[in-house]
Amino acid sequence: KKIDYKVFAASYFEDRVYGGIDALNVRNFWMQQVSYLQDKSVEDILQEIEDLKKETGKTKIAFWGTGKICRDLLEKYPMVRVDCFFDNAKQNHGRLINGVPIVGPDSIHEYQDTLLIITCAMYLEIGAQLDNAGLHQYKDYVTYLDVF
């Protein structure tokens, strides 16, 4: 069963910009609605990543964001090979996750052969940052919601 995540993203944006303090929090509502979905199988995840790489012409995968969502995904899907990690937090640059380096956004154009998967809750903001850097959603990057 496919879910229209654009509606989810728009709802999240609406809450962030217009509030939702005294009204129904649309983001929380949709999080509850999609929380019942069963997890995708490992095979489905790996196939989805391979399909995305093929469609976009990319050969590698990078995660953007090294916080809780990233760590949870790495724990749940250890067979997903991540070639690089990006993070806006300068204190993380140069560190390693499973032997793979964390680099900053200034290095983004050195990784043109790499499909970025945004793995943080601030995916709308990171998407805007990547758009401003000249990258395009579904060509250069996707969110973890698109894959996992």
Side-chain angles (χ1 to χ4, degrees):
K1 180 178 179 180
K2 290 267 185 182
I3 293 209
D4 188 352
Y5 284 110
K6 291 179 185 177
V7 170
F8 180 77
S11 299
Y12 177 79
F13 179 78
E14 181 179 345
D15 283 344
R16 295 284 300 222
V17 173
Y18 300 112
I21 297 166
D22 295 327
L24 172 69
N25 186 304
V26 179
R27 177 184 179 272
N28 288 344
F29 171 79
W30 281 108
M31 287 295 286
Q32 291 171 359
Q33 295 301 307
V34 298
S35 66
Y36 73 90
L37 294 176
Q38 290 185 351
D39 293 329
K40 291 182 182 177
S41 71
V42 172
E43 294 79 19
D44 288 344
I45 297 292
L46 294 173
Q47 187 61 51
E48 179 76 21
I49 290 172
E50 287 307 311
D51 290 347
L52 283 167
K53 285 168 50 178
K54 190 176 190 179
E55 290 170 16
T56 59
K58 309 291 184 180
T59 59
K60 298 178 182 176
I61 294 293
F63 280 6
W64 190 294
T66 58
K68 180 173 178 15
I69 292 173
C70 173
R71 292 189 310 270
D72 289 349
L73 290 172
L74 291 172
E75 182 179 333
K76 190 169 186 173
Y77 304 104
M79 70 296 305
V80 173
R81 182 171 177 248
V82 180
D83 300 290
C84 180
F85 293 92
F86 285 89
D87 203 297
N88 285 327
K90 290 183 180 181
Q91 68 269 20
N92 291 335
H93 302 170
R95 293 185 179 171
L96 302 175
I97 297 177
N98 298 336
V100 179
I102 301 172
V103 298
D106 295 341
S107 305
I108 193 68
H109 293 292
E110 297 173 25
Y111 294 87
Q112 293 184 10
D113 62 341
T114 304
L115 178 66
L116 300 172
I117 300 176
I118 301 172
T119 55
C120 66
M122 305 291 286
Y123 59 87
L124 293 175
E125 292 85 348
I126 300 300
Q129 179 183 351
L130 295 174
D131 290 341
N132 289 337
L135 301 175
H136 301 91
Q137 189 171 12
Y138 303 116
K139 180 181 177 216
D140 301 306
Y141 72 91
V142 296
T143 71
Y144 72 98
L145 297 171
D146 296 315
V147 179
F148 300 96

